[in-house]
Amino acid sequence: MKVLLKKIVPVVVAVLGITGAFVTTSMQNTSKKSASARIGYIVNAQGKCTDVSVICSDLPSPFLCRLGITSGPIAYDKDAQNNCVQPLYRAE
């Protein structure tokens, strides 16, 4: 019985350690993605943000956030002076 425990316990501890490392890494990646949701606004002719809002992301991606998902005006982040300056990215 003691010999069996001496052989099994280290293997069980190693498996639990590896599993914990993978779970922790997965949780960290998920929290980064969900924390980046931003509201994007469309620019009017005067360069000010309008009340039309779109769900976007501030995480860089190959696609810009647009009103019509793949076409239409680009959505921007609004600053304190109600100016649309920084373009946002499409939310995944």
Side-chain angles (χ1 to χ4, degrees):
M1 184 70 178
K2 287 183 181 181
V3 174
L4 185 64
L5 284 177
K6 286 183 181 181
K7 291 182 180 180
I8 293 178
V9 170
V11 173
V12 171
V13 170
V15 168
L16 287 175
I18 292 170
T19 303
F22 281 115
V23 169
T24 302
T25 303
S26 296
M27 288 177 10
Q28 289 173 349
N29 289 341
T30 302
S31 65
K32 286 180 186 176
K33 289 182 181 177
S34 64
S36 67
R38 302 289 301 254
I39 296 177
Y41 298 91
I42 306 304
V43 178
N44 64 11
Q46 291 78 31
K48 301 290 184 185
C49 292
T50 62
D51 290 335
V52 179
S53 60
V54 184
I55 301 298
C56 301
S57 173
D58 59 355
L59 288 177
S61 77
F63 304 105
L64 290 174
C65 185
R66 295 180 175 269
L67 181 61
I69 299 176
T70 57
S71 64
I74 297 173
Y76 293 87
D77 195 15
K78 187 189 316 188
D79 66 5
Q81 289 78 31
N82 198 30
N83 295 318
C84 289
V85 183
Q86 178 66 37
L88 295 172
Y89 301 97
R90 189 185 314 167
E92 298 295 326

